[in-house]
Amino acid sequence: MFSEKVACFEVEAPLIARSRKAGHFVIVRLDEKGERIPLTIADSDIERGTITLVVQAVGASSARMIQLNEGDMFHDVVGPLGHATDIQNYGTVVCCGGGVGVAPLLPIVKAMHEAGNKVIVVLAARTKDLIILEEEMRASSDEVIIMTDDGSYGQKGLVTTGVEQVIQREKVDKVVCIGPTIMMKFVSLLTQKYEVPTIVSLNTIMVDGTGMCGACRVTVGGKTKFVCVDGPEFDAHQVDFNEMMMRMKAYKAEETEAMEKLNC
């Protein structure tokens, strides 16, 4: 457990471990009638045949998931899904993550570093206790900047403050951002101002993961895209974040009811 509501799982899935790349995700079900939960793969171990998933309790299904113990089983794990991250030697890459968005950022940081980029990581959270995977990030990057809302660790401020500091002091060739939708929106607005190409990994509501249901649709560059099959990564400056945030509230009443039933 990283914290009271964030857990790390090492899941036996040898076929996925062998074929996954940075940016790929899986869909997990707890039981036969369970909700399908999309989770980006944080790491994998080919020799052990395992993948690493980081889960935050934000709804009834994820709250049940983090209560699992070592040796318990998921009903099924499907993947790898989505398009892998486009890894190239861009030059200087800033990778910024907020909350549990740091977990799916880790394989991208590793891959960017291995491709020869100078990688600067900006990690952000509300408080020190919510910063995760710091040591793993330091092992695969040239610099790690910590931002906390309350100033309890690193610098006090939002992720955008850390990103802007780097942009103002040196040439940045690429920004990769993963975290809450509102965070990705404001990082996108910042990098658009400085004309720095930026990629975001979207965390929309998802059901089947194959493009059939349409629940994960977003508008990118004025066109409808499906995060599960067209993404999950898109050009941040083309994403309609306001529409996406509205769609993320579509099942708020049902989510509240499910949490109330779980708590009872």
Side-chain angles (χ1 to χ4, degrees):
M1 296 286 288
F2 286 124
S3 67
E4 183 182 352
K5 291 189 176 183
V6 180
C8 181
F9 293 92
E10 188 175 17
V11 182
E12 185 176 354
L15 295 178
I16 299 175
R18 285 203 299 268
S19 57
R20 75 97 200 180
K21 294 181 180 179
H24 280 148
F25 69 96
V26 293
I27 285 186
V28 179
R29 284 197 304 167
L30 284 173
D31 51 53
E32 187 175 356
K33 295 183 179 180
E35 180 183 5
R36 296 165 64 85
I37 305 173
L39 298 167
T40 307
I41 302 169
D43 204 355
S44 67
D45 188 322
I46 296 177
E47 291 186 3
R48 290 169 58 87
T50 61
I51 59 173
T52 301
L53 305 175
V54 175
V55 182
Q56 180 178 20
V58 293
S61 295
S62 52
R64 287 176 55 209
M65 186 178 290
I66 69 167
Q67 294 172 3
L68 295 176
N69 299 308
E70 184 175 355
D72 289 340
M73 298 179 66
F74 295 134
H75 185 273
D76 50 55
V77 180
V78 178
L81 300 172
H83 291 282
T85 306
D86 183 18
I87 303 296
Q88 300 179 30
N89 189 336
Y90 296 102
T92 297
V93 179
V94 173
C95 296
C96 56
V100 292
V102 172
L105 192 67
L106 179 59
I108 297 174
V109 168
K110 289 181 176 180
M112 288 292 188
H113 190 261
E114 291 170 1
N117 293 284
K118 177 181 179 181
V119 180
I120 301 170
V121 174
V122 182
L123 303 181
R126 293 194 306 276
T127 188
K128 178 181 179 180
D129 294 340
L130 299 179
I131 295 289
I132 64 173
L133 300 173
E134 179 185 349
E135 292 308 311
E136 290 84 350
M137 288 294 188
R138 292 191 184 279
S140 296
S141 61
D142 296 272
E143 180 184 359
V144 174
I145 298 170
I146 307 291
M147 306 296 304
T148 51
D149 292 359
D150 62 3
S152 57
Y153 188 45
Q155 302 180 50
K156 184 176 182 178
L158 302 176
V159 67
T160 47
T161 302
V163 174
E164 189 166 28
Q165 287 176 3
V166 179
I167 293 175
Q168 288 181 340
R169 80 181 189 207
E170 61 187 279
K171 183 180 184 299
V172 174
D173 300 287
K174 191 87 167 180
V175 169
V176 180
C177 179
I178 307 179
T181 307
I182 190 68
M183 187 199 92
M184 293 190 288
K185 173 185 174 179
F186 281 99
V187 169
S188 174
L189 291 172
L190 172 70
T191 58
Q192 192 168 21
K193 181 177 71 173
Y194 288 100
E195 299 183 339
V196 179
T198 302
I199 295 297
V200 289
S201 181
L202 303 185
N203 54 349
T204 52
I205 295 169
M206 201 175 290
V207 180
D208 69 288
T210 64
M212 295 294 291
C213 72
C216 67
R217 67 184 181 272
V218 291
T219 300
V220 181
K223 297 180 179 179
T224 298
K225 299 289 183 180
F226 298 98
V227 173
C228 62
V229 291
D230 297 319
E233 296 175 2
F234 296 95
D235 179 345
H237 302 156
Q238 298 295 314
V239 175
D240 186 337
F241 285 104
N242 292 334
E243 178 194 64
M244 177 180 164
M245 286 188 287
M246 288 296 295
R247 289 187 55 77
M248 294 283 282
K249 300 175 183 177
Y251 299 101
K252 192 169 183 62
E254 289 81 359
E255 290 169 357
T256 301
E257 182 181 353
M259 281 299 294
E260 290 174 349
K261 288 181 179 179
L262 179 65
N263 292 332
C264 289

